[in-house]
Amino acid sequence: KMLAVYFDSPGGPENLYVKEVMKPHPGEGEVLVKVSASALNRADLLQRRGKYPPPKGASEILGLEAAGIVAGFGPGCKGRWKIGDAVMALLSGGGHAEYVTVPEGYLMPIPNDMTFIQAAAIPEAWLTAFQLLHFVGKMQKGETVLIHAGGSGVGIAAIQLVRLAEAIPIVTAGTQEKLKATANFGAAAGFNYKTEDFSEKVLAFTRGSGADIILDCVGGSYWEKNLNCLSTDGRWIVYGLLSGGEVHGDLFERLLSKRGSIHTSLLRSRAKEAMNEMIGNNLQNALIFLQYKEQLVKAFTENVLPYFSGGPCPRLRPLVDSVYPLPKIAEAHRFMEDNKNIGKIVIEMPL
């Protein structure tokens, strides 16, 4: 058996507790990982409230990323890893537990001289940002990228990835403390969305041309301002709906006038699609979905991970806001709900 975060019914953080559950067994092509640290994401809060159920076939345990050591193998593994290897992974669920199973191709090596706590702050935020900027947005050198929620885990990662690609990151955030942190990580400019009209500020910063890419996790309430400051032929990428998804107005007419495009992306649902295709015996489609995630992990491992080590410059670094032991999981949820964190909230497993 193992310890894991659990809740009996949807609701507030007070519903969370730690209990003993059965340890998972790795299936075909899966690796068993003994988790040392995980991290908290907004999807965990939504799942706890009953608004974001796990993909069919995925673990019902919270936790979308983990760092730890390889502890076992299922049948069909190709020998990429050995027992005791330090690894990290993006998950469809199950990270807030002492053990989790992961498809072999989704694992990444932990960079040299990095702790498990630091590594746990990488998979979800950095793979999400990397996918949005390169796989979806096709970011080019010299482009201006507007990053909403710049002080979040994804925001801090995106700032550094934009700089790495020799593009220009600008951000929005709700406090001066968060804006200062984004500047320390390389943001060329930052705007307080509570006290400033960020669309006007973006247009002023870009001398009227606007942002070439917008990374938007807010949704409905930002649509007019986003369109105001989107460049001609710009890409508006929606990957979250913190303010809801309703839009009232002439969105398409204004988008068309700029020849702009809207893209949407959810990494977690790709696992759901793959699992559904497998259950429906459509193995070819399932393979396509699984290969997408493997290709993403492979591209990130080859092109980004070396910059976390003491090798090429610029040096990339995850930002850990705070660390909570597993029994304090409810406190971690409350802290995130108060929107106080800058960077990642990490959950540490018992020794």
Side-chain angles (χ1 to χ4, degrees):
K1 292 188 175 182
M2 67 173 184
L3 296 176
V5 171
Y6 209 77
F7 60 95
D8 295 313
S9 59
E14 66 278 0
N15 287 15
L16 296 169
Y17 65 99
V18 175
K19 78 169 190 176
E20 270 196 342
V21 299
M22 294 303 296
K23 187 167 73 172
H25 293 284
E28 182 75 25
E30 289 186 330
V31 176
L32 180 68
V33 175
K34 187 179 190 305
V35 180
S36 292
S38 183
L40 192 59
N41 294 285
R42 297 232 167 239
D44 297 313
L45 275 59
L46 292 172
Q47 184 174 330
R48 188 205 71 222
R49 296 175 195 148
K51 296 181 178 180
Y52 193 18
K56 190 172 184 178
S59 172
E60 294 186 357
I61 298 168
L62 301 175
L64 300 183
E65 56 198 324
I69 60 171
V70 172
F73 301 96
C77 285
K78 298 176 181 178
R80 302 179 190 178
W81 309 97
K82 64 181 185 297
I83 299 293
D85 280 348
V87 293
M88 55 185 178
L90 181 69
L91 311 169
S92 298
H96 294 170
E98 291 183 295
Y99 290 88
V100 68
T101 57
V102 186
E104 186 180 26
Y106 293 4
L107 290 174
M108 299 175 285
I110 293 179
N112 295 332
D113 304 322
M114 184 172 284
T115 67
F116 288 121
I117 286 174
Q118 292 170 320
I122 291 178
E124 189 274 342
W126 286 81
L127 280 171
T128 296
F130 181 75
Q131 184 223 15
L132 297 175
L133 291 167
H134 292 284
F135 280 44
V136 181
K138 310 295 184 185
M139 175 177 57
Q140 301 297 312
K141 179 180 178 180
E143 289 189 317
T144 298
V145 181
L146 172 60
I147 303 162
H148 291 309
S152 67
V154 173
I156 294 294
I159 291 167
Q160 296 178 73
L161 290 173
V162 172
R163 284 290 186 193
L164 185 64
E166 298 184 35
I168 304 164
I170 56 179
V171 304
T172 66
T175 69
Q176 292 306 119
E177 183 184 12
K178 290 183 177 183
L179 290 175
K180 182 178 178 181
T182 64
N184 290 338
F185 279 88
F191 316 116
N192 189 326
Y193 66 84
K194 293 181 179 178
T195 60
E196 302 174 290
D197 184 330
F198 71 78
S199 65
E200 293 179 358
K201 295 291 185 178
V202 170
L203 289 172
F205 177 84
T206 59
R207 297 180 181 179
S209 63
D212 300 294
I213 298 175
I214 298 176
L215 299 190
D216 180 18
C217 58
V218 180
S221 66
Y222 273 15
W223 80 267
E224 287 186 279
K225 290 180 180 178
N226 279 333
L227 277 178
N228 284 344
C229 64
L230 184 69
S231 71
T232 301
D233 297 315
R235 289 90 78 201
W236 173 15
I237 304 172
V238 180
Y239 69 100
L241 297 171
L242 291 176
S243 72
E246 287 192 20
V247 171
H248 302 282
D250 55 352
L251 184 153
F252 290 114
E253 181 181 347
R254 294 175 62 184
L255 187 68
L256 185 62
S257 71
K258 291 193 172 186
R259 302 196 304 270
S261 57
I262 296 180
H263 304 262
T264 64
S265 180
L266 284 175
L267 263 181
R268 190 184 192 187
S269 63
R270 290 186 182 273
K272 178 179 180 180
E273 290 163 344
M275 192 63 66
N276 287 343
E277 296 290 356
M278 284 181 175
I279 292 169
N281 292 323
N282 193 337
L283 298 182
Q284 184 175 1
N285 282 351
L287 189 61
I288 291 171
F289 291 126
L290 290 170
Q291 285 176 340
Y292 178 93
K293 214 163 183 180
E294 279 203 26
Q295 288 168 359
L296 174 65
V297 169
K298 184 175 186 291
F300 182 84
T301 300
E302 293 176 352
N303 298 307
V304 178
L305 269 190
Y307 290 92
F308 285 97
S309 304
C313 290
R315 179 83 180 265
L316 302 178
R317 52 196 173 104
L319 177 60
V320 175
D321 176 277
S322 49
V323 181
Y324 289 82
L326 190 67
K328 300 287 187 182
I329 187 67
E331 293 182 19
H333 275 238
R334 291 189 187 96
F335 188 69
M336 178 171 274
E337 286 186 334
D338 289 340
N339 205 27
K340 294 178 179 178
N341 59 297
I342 304 175
K344 298 287 289 188
I345 299 169
V346 173
I347 309 300
E348 190 171 23
M349 296 300 130
L351 292 175

